[in-house]
Amino acid sequence: MKKYTITIYAMSLLTLAGCKKNLLDTTSYTQVGTQTMWTSDNLTDQGVAGVYNSLRLNIDAGSASGNELYQLDRYGVTGMVRDADALQTGTITPSSGMFSNNWKQLYEGVQRANDAIKNIPLKSPSTAEKKARYLAECKFLRAYAYFRLNQLWKGVPVYLEPFTADQATKGRETEEAVWQVVINDLTDCINEPQLPAKYAKGSPFYGHITKGAAYALRGKTYLYQQKWALAAADFSKVKEAGYTLFTGGYRQLFKEANEQCDEMIFSIQNVGMSGYGSTTQFFCGNRSSFGSCWNTYLISPVLVDLYENADGSKFNWDDIMPGYNSMAPEKREVFFFRDHLTTAEINAAKARGLDMTLYLPDGNEARVKLAYANRDPRLAANVITPYSEYLGVNGNASQAFVSRWPFRSNTTPTWDVATDTKAYFYYLHRKFVYEGATETPNRAYGPTDFPVIRYADVLLMWAEALNEQGFSQEVVDMVNQVRNRAGAAPLQSSDASKPTFVANQTDMRQRIRNERRVEFPNEGINFFDELRWKTWKDMVFANGAGLKQVWGGNVVTYSWKGDYIYTWPVPQAEIERNANLKQNAGWVN
């Protein structure tokens, strides 16, 4: 790792300026050496902005980096990627750029934070109050980087001072030791009197770290350590800080207008400018979206089937189409055809071996739409399901589209949703995909902040921490706060005849896990949940798992190579650089 210098970007200044829409500083700054950095109040602001900017190092607006949080959903229950992924097909090695890029990006965040933590007290002429607050913010950001490293590698080298490449020779600390480093930094952050509990919407400091964020991340760290009581105590402090669920509806929560609502605890700040915005539109949108986007990341059919019926009962395809579940997945395609297929389309289907006696020329669409009706409303909020409408763009004007199979161009009165994958029929994202012609200035830089931690996440982690200490009505009520906001049927523990009945701790544990799966698609949470719960193999690599079309037929088949892949390998280049680094068991280059 080269000797550290801080690069200042317009977005970095934007973050420190706070209210991003009104106080945008577009000055272009180049590299400032560490000898000069921190020696004025302005350079102190810029330096801390550079630490915040480390949160954006994995963003590539020109192509999907695969390293952004929402992009890692492709490894979980909730998402997929449209091309074969080496981790899922079992061909990945420690030399993969995915491992080395994440390692380097996260350690760059550590290095920037280290530089600030050391030099602000020594060099900065800023007020004592400001320096104390900045130190707390930078300790949070260092803790976050080590948190992410430990989630994936379970023990990494710890550097708490700036270091050069020649000094990067430490061996790995234990997983538990790294968690303690995270807790120490977050505790310092929490104990800093100059750090506020929360910033209100519109505050000139909105976007900065708060005590609420520190409590949330420390509580999550305690979950990894299975210190349930400590986790629950920290989550209660988040509530005391003033965070709460957004009451304007689940779907509206992810709109730009609500990005500073009381649910958002820690977000990556975005603005509609080249290089400083969100890429979710570009890589989760579709060809009918503003900017003609690439649907690189997709929704998994496993997630779609997890959304309950409106009464809280489990969804079952056989209730809609008797015999569906026992059919070979590729044979189910017949149920997803559009009405009034052409003769050529029918003949092509027969050639693929489909039983076209099951096809309803005038009612196929209506029949399959029943499968998505009367379900948990979060299904419609998160997923473009077959024969549902999506408001996209035609030229510069808004245009209604419908997801149909097989795709045809420019069908009136509503056009078919176009994708990069027209030869296949996939579930597509809605969350963080802009609607119509007015919501985003460009596909590569959406203006909506990306939530890293929000209050629904805290509530469900809090419920998990309490449930692991014993099942109670308090746990049920906590989960119901999230379900009620979404419009899902509330859980209860009094009437065993109803599908919403929760019997005991084991039942509640599964309910909480499924609640997290259906609440957080496209938010970079599920993959890490499955790793922590040790459910990744069973949920993502079950028999027949793969990149699936909506009816469950595989385009790519996944291959589980062993439990060792629960932990990422130390990048091969880092091992060659540092002889003290030991590889995780099972990984060979």
Side-chain angles (χ1 to χ4, degrees), residues 556-571:
V556 175
T557 298
Y558 297 163
S559 177
W560 180 260
K561 293 302 182 182
D563 288 353
Y564 70 89
I565 69 171
Y566 267 103
T567 306
W568 279 15
V570 177

Side-chain angles (χ1 to χ4, degrees), residues 411-577:
T411 303
T412 57
T414 53
W415 293 5
D416 289 3
V417 173
T419 68
D420 277 337
T421 52
K422 293 190 289 291
Y424 305 102
F425 198 36
Y426 294 125
Y427 291 117
L428 303 172
H429 282 286
R430 282 193 193 272
K431 184 188 290 181
F432 299 126
V433 175
Y434 295 98
E435 297 176 302
T438 60
E439 285 197 351
T440 181
N442 187 282
R443 67 181 184 179
Y445 44 85
T448 307
D449 294 349
F450 181 83
V452 179
I453 304 175
R454 57 184 177 91
Y455 190 64
D457 187 9
V458 167
L459 274 175
L460 293 175
M461 290 190 292
W462 192 355
E464 179 181 350
L466 292 175
N467 189 62
E468 292 303 326
Q469 298 174 76
F471 176 62
S472 68
Q473 185 61 41
E474 182 182 11
V475 177
V476 176
D477 293 343
M478 202 164 284
V479 174
N480 278 341
Q481 290 183 55
V482 178
R483 292 175 66 86
N484 291 342
R485 189 270 299 277
L491 304 179
Q492 48 84 29
S493 56
S494 58
D495 188 347
S497 69
K498 294 183 178 179
T500 52
F501 179 70
V502 184
N504 51 42
Q505 181 191 50
T506 301
D507 191 6
M508 193 72 235
R509 182 182 296 122
Q510 188 58 42
R511 291 280 194 169
I512 291 168
R513 291 177 179 182
N514 280 341
E515 195 66 28
R516 291 182 64 79
R517 289 166 182 143
V518 300
E519 173 74 15
F520 301 121
N522 215 23
E523 295 186 54
I525 290 176
N526 176 251
F527 172 52
F528 298 101
D529 276 349
E530 305 299 338
L531 293 181
R532 179 169 62 85
W533 297 327
K534 296 294 189 291
T535 52
W536 190 39
K537 177 183 178 181
D538 292 338
M539 291 299 299
V540 178
F541 289 86
N543 185 42
L547 167 61
K548 295 180 179 294
Q549 298 192 73
V550 296
W551 48 81
N554 280 3
V555 176
V556 175
T557 298
Y558 297 163
S559 177
W560 180 260
K561 293 302 182 182
D563 288 353
Y564 70 89
I565 69 171
Y566 267 103
T567 306
W568 279 15
V570 177
Q572 185 63 29
E574 299 298 328
I575 289 179
E576 292 170 2
R577 227 178 256 127

